[in-house]
Amino acid sequence: MADRFVTRGFVGRREPAGSAQAARIPPGQHLVKDFPVLSAGPTPRTPLASWSFKIEGLVTEPVSWGWDEFQKLPAQDFVKDISCVTKWTKLDTHWRGVSVDILLEHVELNRRAAFVTAFSDGGYTTNIPLPDLIDGQAFVAYDYEGKPLAPQHGGPARLVVPHLYFWKSAKWVRGLRLMERDEPGFWESLGYNNHGDPWKEERYTGD
Amino acid sequence: MTSPKDEMVLDGNAVAGTLAEIYGDDMTTVLAECTSCGNVDHIGGLIAYVHAPGIVLRCTACATIMIRIVQTPKRTLVDVRGKRIPPPP
């Protein structure tokens, strides 16, 4: 067996090449077991009584849910691998939340709607093409590993778009704005990629 | 408003090296005024968030973002729209 002669120091934290796990780690990433906390500002602590989630912009009629109303929307459990642009990947994370498809059923989209800006408590924004948020690819999640999502990880609710770098999965998300044009968000306006596909290593503008 | 218990918080001195790389000089003792509330502080005293895709320096009084820095393998991007140079005393 060839890999018997490969020292641990040589392969570092990666699993042996060819293993099923290694095949799930995008290029340039390493595996972590913990869940690193990344923040660009103070952790907002919005009381659930004043929390709302809104869909606005290029829709015929904006819609908004309070926390209790949002909990009544059809939710689903999902298990996903997540990758952060700071080069860690975490496998098999368990979430519960509402798919963006379900949310968009409550609005009539203007035909010009092609991009989305997700906006959060604290002023954070991130831009995502609309096709990346539909067909079961994106969720607004409020449980993580069977417990209410902790504030440092974006609770009470965060966007989860697992097939893109995790800065797109806006913590403390409060709504989606439908747009005609792509408008760079908080990190995208300072050199990060507008799309952010980890498998293509779309880390920075121009990648 | 920033809770003092916020575990991610450092101060501007923590990014002294990065700032010196960008500006070619020690910036931590330079005064900066928040464009939002007018509070004046040394850059080294600003609230710093460094555990993120970039560095974010915020006003100690109102937490408004004063400086953002992203370093990519090819370039460094700096946004200083949240600060201005304070008037002389």
Side-chain angles (χ1 to χ4, degrees):
Chain A
M1 303 256 285
D3 55 354
R4 199 174 284 175
F5 301 99
V6 178
T7 67
R8 259 203 73 67
F10 200 76
V11 295
R13 271 180 285 185
R14 288 164 201 261
E15 295 299 309
S19 80
Q21 206 172 56
R24 290 163 64 185
I25 302 171
Q29 299 288 111
H30 68 265
L31 190 61
V32 296
K33 299 285 186 197
D34 60 341
F35 191 176
V37 174
L38 283 79
S39 274
T43 300
R45 294 176 192 272
T46 303
L48 296 183
S50 52
W51 184 92
S52 66
F53 190 89
K54 194 170 185 186
I55 299 181
E56 60 181 45
L58 289 175
V59 294
T60 307
E61 193 78 51
V63 64
S64 177
W65 296 271
W67 182 257
D68 292 340
E69 295 168 312
F70 200 84
Q71 298 296 307
K72 289 177 190 151
L73 293 170
Q76 67 185 90
D77 296 312
F78 55 99
V79 182
K80 296 288 180 187
D81 301 342
I82 55 177
S83 289
C84 177
V85 74
T86 59
K87 301 197 170 178
W88 55 263
T89 290
K90 186 171 174 60
L91 304 180
D92 297 318
T93 59
H94 294 71
W95 303 86
R96 183 171 180 78
V98 182
S99 81
V100 172
D101 299 300
I102 296 276
L103 300 175
L104 292 178
E105 281 174 13
H106 291 78
V107 291
E108 191 183 331
L109 294 182
N110 184 301
R111 54 189 299 189
R112 289 181 289 126
F115 296 92
V116 172
T117 289
F119 53 92
S120 299
D121 277 324
Y124 185 78
T125 57
T126 186
N127 53 306
I128 304 164
L130 181 56
D132 281 285
L133 288 179
I134 59 175
D135 297 331
Q137 297 183 95
F139 308 85
V140 174
Y142 45 73
D143 284 354
Y144 173 70
E145 301 297 343
K147 292 180 190 151
L149 181 61
Q152 70 266 30
H153 288 303
R158 77 180 294 164
L159 193 63
V160 178
V161 193
H163 72 288
L164 300 178
Y165 283 123
F166 219 44
W167 90 78
K168 299 285 186 181
S169 293
K171 299 205 275 190
W172 315 298
V173 70
R174 292 291 298 275
L176 304 176
R177 187 176 306 122
L178 278 298
M179 330 260 288
E180 184 173 8
R181 293 195 176 79
D182 203 8
E183 188 173 298
F186 184 88
W187 291 119
E188 295 87 352
S189 63
L190 206 64
Y192 279 94
N193 196 279
N194 278 328
H195 188 226
D197 181 342
W199 292 98
K200 296 178 183 164
E201 281 206 73
E202 293 172 336
R203 298 177 191 274
Y204 306 108
T205 309
D207 283 350
Chain B
M1 216 45 44
T2 305
S3 148
K5 288 179 195 147
D6 217 318
E7 68 280 12
M8 308 301 291
V9 179
L10 298 172
D11 68 31
N13 292 312
V15 294
T18 303
L19 290 167
E21 257 176 58
I22 296 167
Y23 291 98
D25 207 348
D26 175 31
M27 296 300 287
T28 55
T29 55
V30 172
L31 290 174
E33 181 179 332
C34 173
T35 54
S36 180
C37 76
N39 188 61
V40 175
D41 227 320
H42 293 100
I43 288 178
L46 299 180
I47 304 166
Y49 289 84
V50 302
H51 302 284
I55 293 164
V56 176
L57 298 177
R58 292 177 178 264
C59 171
T60 49
C62 74
T64 290
I65 295 169
M66 293 173 66
I67 302 173
R68 297 189 300 158
I69 302 166
V70 167
Q71 292 176 298
T72 83
K74 290 177 190 159
R75 57 192 180 141
T76 296
L77 297 101
V78 185
D79 171 13
V80 293
R81 285 172 296 177
K83 84 163 183 76
R84 56 182 166 235
I85 298 165

